[in-house]
Amino acid sequence: MSNTDSWGKEEVDGMTKLLEKAFAEAAKLSKAEQEAFAAWILEELASERCWEEAFANSPDVLARLADEAIAEHRGGQTQPLDSNAL
């Protein structure tokens, strides 16, 4: 069964064509590479869920931190980021 997801991408049985293509390519990897790839994907998904939950549960903290950062910038307590110094 085919339908369109919220981004306008076509889905086939709940999986977008792009994801289906990515998994088809991953299936060509060796068993060890497939295991490593699968572990990496699962870790990334778990990490993303943790971040989403942390942000969803702390909007007041994030707002306070943003206000503090703006106040520090307006008060001249910040400096431009030098990407060469990183």
XYZ file of all heavy atoms in Angstrom:
662
model
N 0.844 -1.176 0.000
C 0.000 0.000 0.000
C 0.889 1.238 0.000
O 1.867 1.318 0.715
C -0.902 -0.023 1.224
C -1.842 1.116 1.282
S -2.951 0.864 2.693
C -3.587 2.471 2.813
N 0.557 2.241 -0.768
C 1.376 3.437 -0.917
C 0.578 4.663 -0.509
O -0.598 4.772 -0.792
C 1.826 3.560 -2.376
O 2.562 4.729 -2.563
N 1.236 5.588 0.204
C 0.629 6.870 0.544
C 1.727 7.906 0.655
O 2.880 7.625 0.395
C -0.219 6.777 1.817
C 0.579 6.336 3.029
O 1.802 6.307 3.000
N -0.109 5.987 4.084
N 1.367 9.115 1.075
C 2.347 10.196 1.172
C 2.508 10.597 2.622
O 1.523 10.757 3.344
C 1.884 11.417 0.343
O 1.681 10.982 -1.000
C 2.927 12.509 0.348
N 3.781 10.756 3.071
C 4.029 11.138 4.459
C 3.880 12.644 4.624
O 3.539 13.367 3.696
C 5.397 10.635 4.933
C 6.574 11.336 4.278
O 6.369 12.344 3.570
O 7.712 10.889 4.482
N 4.153 13.136 5.839
C 3.954 14.556 6.138
C 4.913 15.477 5.400
O 4.697 16.672 5.334
C 4.058 14.790 7.645
O 5.330 14.379 8.106
N 5.988 14.932 4.819
C 6.922 15.741 4.048
C 6.687 15.607 2.547
O 7.455 16.085 1.745
C 8.369 15.357 4.370
C 8.774 15.760 5.751
C 9.078 17.007 6.180
C 8.899 14.916 6.879
N 9.376 17.005 7.504
C 9.280 15.720 7.972
C 8.728 13.561 7.094
C 9.491 15.212 9.237
C 8.937 13.055 8.352
C 9.309 13.884 9.393
N 5.621 14.922 2.168
C 5.303 14.764 0.764
C 6.062 13.643 0.085
O 6.007 13.496 -1.127
N 6.774 12.836 0.844
C 7.521 11.709 0.280
C 6.614 10.491 0.216
O 5.831 10.249 1.114
C 8.757 11.380 1.137
C 9.698 12.536 1.334
C 10.494 12.801 0.107
C 11.510 13.882 0.403
N 12.117 14.430 -0.721
N 6.764 9.731 -0.850
C 5.944 8.536 -0.981
C 6.401 7.467 -0.011
O 7.590 7.244 0.169
C 6.019 8.005 -2.411
C 5.057 6.871 -2.669
C 5.058 6.392 -4.106
O 5.461 7.159 -4.986
O 4.658 5.249 -4.315
N 5.452 6.813 0.623
C 5.720 5.718 1.551
C 5.179 4.422 0.981
O 4.148 4.412 0.317
C 5.039 5.943 2.901
C 5.616 7.035 3.729
C 4.946 7.142 5.086
O 3.941 6.453 5.325
O 5.427 7.927 5.894
N 5.867 3.347 1.246
C 5.389 2.021 0.889
C 5.359 1.220 2.182
O 6.400 0.958 2.781
C 6.316 1.352 -0.145
C 5.823 -0.046 -0.471
C 6.422 2.203 -1.406
N 4.167 0.845 2.631
C 4.000 0.090 3.868
C 4.741 0.729 5.034
O 5.438 0.057 5.784
C 4.444 -1.359 3.677
C 3.545 -2.109 2.701
O 2.340 -1.827 2.693
O 4.058 -2.959 1.967
N 4.641 2.064 5.187
C 5.225 2.756 6.321
C 6.675 3.148 6.169
O 7.238 3.779 7.042
N 7.323 2.770 5.064
C 8.727 3.108 4.865
C 8.832 3.967 3.599
O 8.279 3.613 2.561
C 9.566 1.834 4.696
C 11.047 2.106 4.649
S 12.094 0.641 4.377
C 11.600 -0.459 5.673
N 9.543 5.092 3.697
C 9.709 5.927 2.511
C 10.587 5.210 1.495
O 11.362 4.315 1.841
C 10.350 7.289 2.850
O 11.694 7.073 3.282
C 9.557 8.036 3.913
N 10.460 5.624 0.255
C 11.280 5.015 -0.799
C 12.765 5.259 -0.530
O 13.590 4.392 -0.803
C 10.880 5.548 -2.167
C 9.574 4.993 -2.656
C 9.358 5.340 -4.105
C 8.111 4.621 -4.591
N 8.314 4.002 -5.883
N 13.100 6.428 0.013
C 14.499 6.732 0.293
C 15.051 5.799 1.372
O 16.159 5.270 1.236
C 14.669 8.195 0.714
C 16.093 8.665 0.959
C 16.947 8.487 -0.293
C 16.097 10.109 1.402
N 14.274 5.574 2.423
C 14.725 4.664 3.474
C 14.832 3.241 2.935
O 15.785 2.517 3.246
C 13.771 4.709 4.674
C 14.186 3.878 5.887
C 15.556 4.302 6.410
C 13.140 3.993 6.981
N 13.868 2.853 2.119
C 13.911 1.532 1.500
C 15.185 1.377 0.655
O 15.862 0.348 0.708
C 12.668 1.340 0.631
C 12.476 -0.062 0.120
C 11.167 -0.187 -0.638
O 10.102 0.061 -0.047
O 11.228 -0.544 -1.826
N 15.533 2.431 -0.099
C 16.751 2.405 -0.927
C 17.990 2.306 -0.048
O 18.923 1.553 -0.345
C 16.810 3.668 -1.792
C 18.005 3.725 -2.706
C 17.981 4.987 -3.557
C 19.221 5.050 -4.435
N 19.230 6.259 -5.260
N 18.002 3.063 1.068
C 19.154 3.030 1.975
C 19.340 1.631 2.552
O 20.472 1.128 2.621
C 18.962 4.053 3.102
N 18.248 0.991 2.947
C 18.352 -0.359 3.494
C 18.745 -1.372 2.425
O 19.451 -2.341 2.713
C 17.069 -0.773 4.209
C 16.938 -0.160 5.581
C 15.787 0.490 5.954
C 17.975 -0.241 6.500
C 15.668 1.058 7.212
C 17.862 0.321 7.763
C 16.705 0.972 8.120
N 18.297 -1.150 1.200
C 18.703 -2.044 0.108
C 20.211 -1.947 -0.116
O 20.887 -2.960 -0.340
C 17.941 -1.699 -1.167
N 20.753 -0.745 -0.024
C 22.201 -0.565 -0.159
C 22.934 -1.187 1.028
O 23.977 -1.816 0.865
C 22.555 0.917 -0.292
C 22.164 1.529 -1.626
C 22.873 0.866 -2.803
O 24.098 0.652 -2.743
O 22.172 0.561 -3.793
N 22.379 -1.010 2.212
C 23.000 -1.585 3.410
C 23.007 -3.111 3.338
O 23.932 -3.752 3.848
C 22.265 -1.120 4.664
N 22.012 -3.681 2.684
C 21.941 -5.141 2.560
C 23.084 -5.699 1.726
O 23.398 -6.885 1.811
C 20.598 -5.547 1.955
N 23.736 -4.852 0.943
C 24.866 -5.272 0.111
C 26.173 -5.339 0.904
O 27.166 -5.864 0.417
C 25.049 -4.317 -1.071
C 23.861 -4.303 -2.018
C 24.066 -3.243 -3.089
C 22.834 -3.098 -3.971
N 23.001 -1.997 -4.944
N 26.174 -4.800 2.122
C 27.369 -4.804 2.959
C 27.630 -6.198 3.504
O 26.735 -7.041 3.543
C 27.191 -3.827 4.121
C 26.964 -2.357 3.762
C 26.586 -1.566 5.012
C 28.189 -1.763 3.092
N 28.846 -6.413 3.964
C 29.158 -7.692 4.613
C 28.333 -7.804 5.894
O 27.807 -6.810 6.399
C 30.651 -7.759 4.958
O 30.946 -6.861 6.014
N 28.227 -9.007 6.418
C 27.456 -9.216 7.657
C 27.998 -8.355 8.792
O 27.230 -7.743 9.538
C 27.476 -10.693 8.067
C 26.815 -11.616 7.080
C 25.326 -11.394 7.034
C 24.691 -12.377 6.060
N 23.309 -12.068 5.771
N 29.312 -8.274 8.919
C 29.914 -7.460 9.985
C 29.580 -5.985 9.790
O 29.264 -5.278 10.757
C 31.426 -7.663 10.016
N 29.649 -5.506 8.548
C 29.323 -4.106 8.278
C 27.837 -3.842 8.522
O 27.472 -2.775 9.030
C 29.693 -3.742 6.840
C 31.190 -3.678 6.600
C 31.539 -3.518 5.131
O 30.892 -4.171 4.277
O 32.458 -2.737 4.840
N 26.985 -4.812 8.177
C 25.556 -4.658 8.444
C 25.290 -4.565 9.939
O 24.485 -3.737 10.382
C 24.770 -5.835 7.854
C 24.661 -5.811 6.349
C 23.842 -6.966 5.816
O 22.910 -7.419 6.470
N 24.179 -7.432 4.631
N 25.956 -5.393 10.722
C 25.785 -5.358 12.183
C 26.230 -4.008 12.744
O 25.551 -3.417 13.589
C 26.558 -6.502 12.842
C 25.965 -7.869 12.591
C 24.616 -8.052 13.250
O 24.476 -7.709 14.438
O 23.689 -8.546 12.577
N 27.367 -3.513 12.276
C 27.880 -2.213 12.746
C 26.935 -1.092 12.336
O 26.646 -0.191 13.137
C 29.279 -1.976 12.193
N 26.448 -1.153 11.099
C 25.531 -0.131 10.596
C 24.227 -0.142 11.392
O 23.728 0.906 11.806
C 25.261 -0.372 9.107
C 24.385 0.660 8.465
C 24.806 1.963 8.324
C 23.125 0.309 7.995
C 23.998 2.919 7.723
C 22.305 1.247 7.398
C 22.738 2.555 7.257
N 23.688 -1.333 11.635
C 22.446 -1.455 12.398
C 22.623 -0.939 13.824
O 21.758 -0.223 14.344
C 21.981 -2.910 12.414
N 23.738 -1.286 14.445
C 24.002 -0.809 15.808
C 24.086 0.713 15.829
O 23.539 1.365 16.732
C 25.295 -1.426 16.344
N 24.750 1.287 14.836
C 24.892 2.746 14.754
C 23.521 3.416 14.592
O 23.218 4.387 15.293
C 25.811 3.121 13.593
C 25.891 4.585 13.358
C 26.561 5.510 14.110
C 25.254 5.315 12.312
N 26.385 6.769 13.581
C 25.583 6.666 12.472
C 24.444 4.944 11.246
C 25.127 7.647 11.612
C 23.996 5.926 10.394
C 24.330 7.264 10.582
N 22.690 2.879 13.703
C 21.359 3.458 13.489
C 20.540 3.392 14.775
O 19.910 4.375 15.171
C 20.613 2.731 12.351
C 21.242 3.082 11.000
C 19.126 3.091 12.339
C 20.685 2.295 9.839
N 20.544 2.249 15.429
C 19.768 2.101 16.656
C 20.269 3.042 17.750
O 19.469 3.627 18.494
C 19.786 0.649 17.128
C 19.042 -0.327 16.208
C 19.298 -1.760 16.638
C 17.557 -0.010 16.176
N 21.583 3.213 17.856
C 22.139 4.146 18.843
C 21.727 5.573 18.528
O 21.379 6.345 19.430
C 23.662 4.030 18.868
C 24.170 2.764 19.510
C 25.677 2.570 19.328
O 26.369 3.521 18.909
O 26.155 1.462 19.593
N 21.762 5.950 17.252
C 21.370 7.306 16.850
C 19.896 7.562 17.152
O 19.539 8.636 17.634
C 21.650 7.526 15.359
C 23.115 7.702 15.031
C 23.708 8.943 15.682
O 23.102 10.037 15.616
O 24.793 8.819 16.267
N 19.047 6.596 16.853
C 17.623 6.753 17.132
C 17.365 6.884 18.631
O 16.566 7.726 19.058
C 16.838 5.574 16.553
C 16.778 5.514 15.019
C 16.168 4.202 14.562
C 16.018 6.702 14.459
N 18.042 6.069 19.430
C 17.885 6.154 20.882
C 18.374 7.504 21.394
O 17.730 8.131 22.250
C 18.638 5.018 21.560
N 19.491 7.965 20.871
C 20.035 9.262 21.281
C 19.083 10.392 20.914
O 18.842 11.302 21.716
C 21.397 9.484 20.611
O 21.892 10.765 20.912
N 18.525 10.319 19.722
C 17.581 11.346 19.278
C 16.352 11.379 20.179
O 15.872 12.453 20.554
C 17.163 11.084 17.827
C 16.275 12.141 17.242
C 16.927 13.512 17.106
O 18.166 13.592 17.055
O 16.189 14.515 17.076
N 15.847 10.203 20.552
C 14.692 10.151 21.460
C 15.036 10.773 22.811
O 14.225 11.486 23.401
C 14.213 8.715 21.637
C 13.333 8.217 20.505
C 12.654 6.901 20.843
N 13.593 5.811 21.016
C 14.089 5.062 20.030
N 13.739 5.302 18.790
N 14.933 4.084 20.274
N 16.232 10.512 23.309
C 16.654 11.091 24.595
C 16.706 12.605 24.512
O 16.242 13.299 25.431
C 18.010 10.537 25.002
S 17.974 8.847 25.596
N 17.295 13.143 23.425
C 17.370 14.595 23.275
C 15.978 15.205 23.156
O 15.683 16.230 23.769
C 18.216 14.977 22.057
C 19.674 14.930 22.335
C 20.573 14.017 21.869
C 20.425 15.828 23.161
N 21.822 14.295 22.353
C 21.761 15.409 23.150
C 20.086 16.942 23.922
C 22.761 16.059 23.859
C 21.087 17.606 24.629
C 22.405 17.155 24.586
N 15.113 14.585 22.354
C 13.751 15.102 22.198
C 13.027 15.128 23.532
O 12.349 16.099 23.859
C 12.978 14.252 21.186
C 13.392 14.490 19.755
C 12.672 13.585 18.767
O 11.796 12.800 19.188
O 13.011 13.664 17.579
N 13.187 14.066 24.315
C 12.543 14.005 25.620
C 13.112 15.059 26.568
O 12.370 15.728 27.285
C 12.730 12.607 26.211
C 11.928 12.363 27.462
C 12.053 10.932 27.943
O 11.830 10.013 27.139
O 12.370 10.742 29.135
N 14.431 15.225 26.538
C 15.065 16.214 27.418
C 14.597 17.629 27.073
O 14.285 18.419 27.974
C 16.583 16.121 27.304
N 14.524 17.939 25.790
C 14.078 19.273 25.387
C 12.590 19.464 25.679
O 12.174 20.536 26.111
C 14.353 19.531 23.908
C 15.807 19.752 23.609
C 16.412 19.123 22.536
C 16.588 20.595 24.386
C 17.751 19.322 22.252
C 17.921 20.806 24.116
C 18.506 20.159 23.049
N 11.800 18.443 25.460
C 10.357 18.547 25.708
C 10.060 18.744 27.185
O 9.090 19.409 27.540
C 9.648 17.298 25.191
N 10.899 18.177 28.046
C 10.662 18.264 29.485
C 11.315 19.472 30.135
O 11.221 19.622 31.355
C 11.148 16.986 30.175
C 10.315 15.781 29.806
O 9.137 15.908 29.515
N 10.918 14.607 29.804
N 11.985 20.314 29.355
C 12.682 21.440 29.976
C 12.571 22.743 29.185
O 13.548 23.469 29.077
C 14.160 21.082 30.158
O 14.743 20.803 28.899
N 11.398 23.081 28.636
C 11.318 24.323 27.860
C 11.598 25.560 28.704
O 12.176 26.536 28.211
C 9.889 24.325 27.321
C 9.127 23.437 28.243
C 10.120 22.408 28.706
N 11.229 25.539 29.995
C 11.479 26.696 30.851
C 12.976 26.876 31.099
O 13.483 27.990 31.128
C 10.725 26.570 32.174
C 11.006 25.261 32.899
O 11.266 24.243 32.231
O 10.969 25.264 34.143
N 13.704 25.790 31.241
C 15.154 25.868 31.440
C 15.816 26.408 30.186
O 16.701 27.278 30.248
C 15.734 24.481 31.808
C 17.251 24.526 31.863
C 15.163 24.000 33.127
N 15.395 25.911 29.022
C 15.974 26.385 27.767
C 15.682 27.873 27.557
O 16.566 28.616 27.121
C 15.437 25.564 26.593
C 15.847 24.105 26.575
C 15.150 23.367 25.434
C 17.353 23.972 26.432
N 14.488 28.299 27.880
C 14.132 29.713 27.739
C 14.989 30.577 28.660
O 15.458 31.646 28.272
C 12.653 29.914 28.025
N 15.203 30.096 29.902
C 16.035 30.848 30.854
C 17.479 30.948 30.353
O 18.095 32.015 30.411
C 15.996 30.188 32.229
C 16.778 30.957 33.293
C 16.682 30.312 34.663
N 16.930 28.882 34.703
C 18.161 28.332 34.684
N 19.227 29.084 34.601
N 18.296 27.014 34.748
N 18.007 29.849 29.837
C 19.368 29.862 29.307
C 19.488 30.800 28.109
O 20.487 31.514 27.973
C 19.806 28.448 28.918
C 20.040 27.482 30.080
C 20.265 26.069 29.556
C 21.219 27.936 30.924
N 18.475 30.801 27.258
C 18.483 31.711 26.108
C 18.455 33.161 26.574
O 19.201 34.007 26.059
C 17.303 31.421 25.193
N 17.623 33.461 27.571
C 17.549 34.824 28.106
C 18.890 35.249 28.706
O 19.337 36.388 28.516
C 16.448 34.926 29.171
C 15.052 34.831 28.578
O 14.896 35.027 27.357
O 14.110 34.552 29.349
N 19.536 34.330 29.427
C 20.849 34.636 30.009
C 21.883 34.911 28.917
O 22.684 35.843 29.037
C 21.333 33.477 30.884
C 20.599 33.339 32.193
C 21.064 32.118 32.991
O 22.143 31.562 32.683
O 20.336 31.716 33.913
N 21.864 34.113 27.868
C 22.826 34.293 26.781
C 22.616 35.635 26.086
O 23.588 36.348 25.784
C 22.703 33.152 25.767
N 21.368 36.009 25.860
C 21.073 37.297 25.226
C 21.516 38.437 26.122
O 22.123 39.412 25.657
C 19.570 37.390 24.884
C 19.239 36.409 23.756
C 19.185 38.816 24.497
C 17.753 36.215 23.521
N 21.259 38.334 27.415
C 21.666 39.385 28.356
C 23.180 39.524 28.390
O 23.707 40.646 28.406
C 21.113 39.074 29.750
N 23.892 38.397 28.391
C 25.354 38.450 28.380
C 25.868 39.094 27.095
O 26.809 39.892 27.124
C 25.935 37.048 28.539
C 25.767 36.488 29.934
C 26.225 35.046 30.051
O 26.755 34.479 29.068
O 26.040 34.466 31.149
N 25.249 38.770 25.975
C 25.677 39.361 24.704
C 25.429 40.862 24.706
O 26.315 41.648 24.334
C 24.937 38.702 23.539
C 25.318 39.249 22.216
N 26.562 39.050 21.661
C 24.636 40.011 21.333
C 26.628 39.662 20.498
N 25.471 40.255 20.277
N 24.252 41.263 25.134
C 23.924 42.697 25.184
C 24.811 43.435 26.185
O 25.081 44.612 26.021
C 22.456 42.888 25.529
C 21.541 42.496 24.396
C 20.092 42.756 24.705
N 19.265 42.390 23.571
C 18.024 41.960 23.645
N 17.431 41.864 24.823
N 17.347 41.635 22.570
N 25.264 42.730 27.229
C 26.125 43.330 28.237
C 27.600 43.318 27.864
O 28.449 43.662 28.674
N 27.896 42.912 26.645
C 29.288 42.912 26.178
C 30.137 41.810 26.783
O 31.357 41.906 26.799
N 29.524 40.768 27.292
C 30.262 39.692 27.936
C 30.558 38.521 26.999
O 31.001 37.477 27.444
C 29.464 39.170 29.139
C 29.269 40.212 30.212
C 28.349 39.708 31.297
O 27.207 39.337 31.031
N 28.851 39.692 32.525
N 30.304 38.707 25.707
C 30.574 37.642 24.746
C 31.601 38.125 23.733
O 31.907 39.313 23.657
C 29.288 37.228 24.005
O 28.782 38.357 23.273
C 28.227 36.720 24.965
N 32.135 37.188 22.983
C 33.070 37.540 21.928
C 32.783 36.695 20.699
O 32.237 35.597 20.815
C 34.511 37.351 22.391
C 34.816 35.996 22.953
C 36.200 35.924 23.543
O 37.149 36.268 22.867
N 36.304 35.496 24.789
N 33.125 37.200 19.522
C 32.869 36.420 18.303
C 33.582 35.079 18.347
O 34.695 34.970 18.894
C 33.431 37.298 17.195
C 33.515 38.670 17.772
C 33.748 38.483 19.237
N 32.964 34.085 17.765
C 33.558 32.763 17.685
C 34.599 32.743 16.586
O 34.330 33.114 15.454
C 32.479 31.706 17.397
C 32.962 30.286 17.227
C 33.559 29.774 18.528
C 31.820 29.381 16.793
N 35.796 32.332 16.936
C 36.880 32.196 15.958
C 37.001 30.727 15.615
O 37.566 29.944 16.374
C 38.189 32.742 16.546
C 39.350 32.633 15.588
O 39.163 32.187 14.427
O 40.469 33.002 15.987
N 36.475 30.336 14.455
C 36.474 28.931 14.074
C 37.891 28.403 13.867
O 38.125 27.196 13.978
C 35.652 28.712 12.812
O 36.190 29.459 11.738
N 38.851 29.266 13.632
C 40.236 28.834 13.464
C 40.883 28.460 14.806
O 41.889 27.767 14.843
C 41.073 29.928 12.783
C 40.612 30.162 11.355
O 40.255 29.244 10.649
N 40.621 31.419 10.959
N 40.298 28.952 15.890
C 40.853 28.678 17.205
C 40.288 27.411 17.827
O 40.695 27.016 18.900
C 40.584 29.863 18.137
N 39.333 26.784 17.156
C 38.716 25.569 17.719
C 39.607 24.368 17.572
O 40.355 24.166 16.753
C 37.368 25.299 17.021
C 36.317 26.371 17.237
C 35.061 26.027 16.460
C 35.966 26.501 18.703
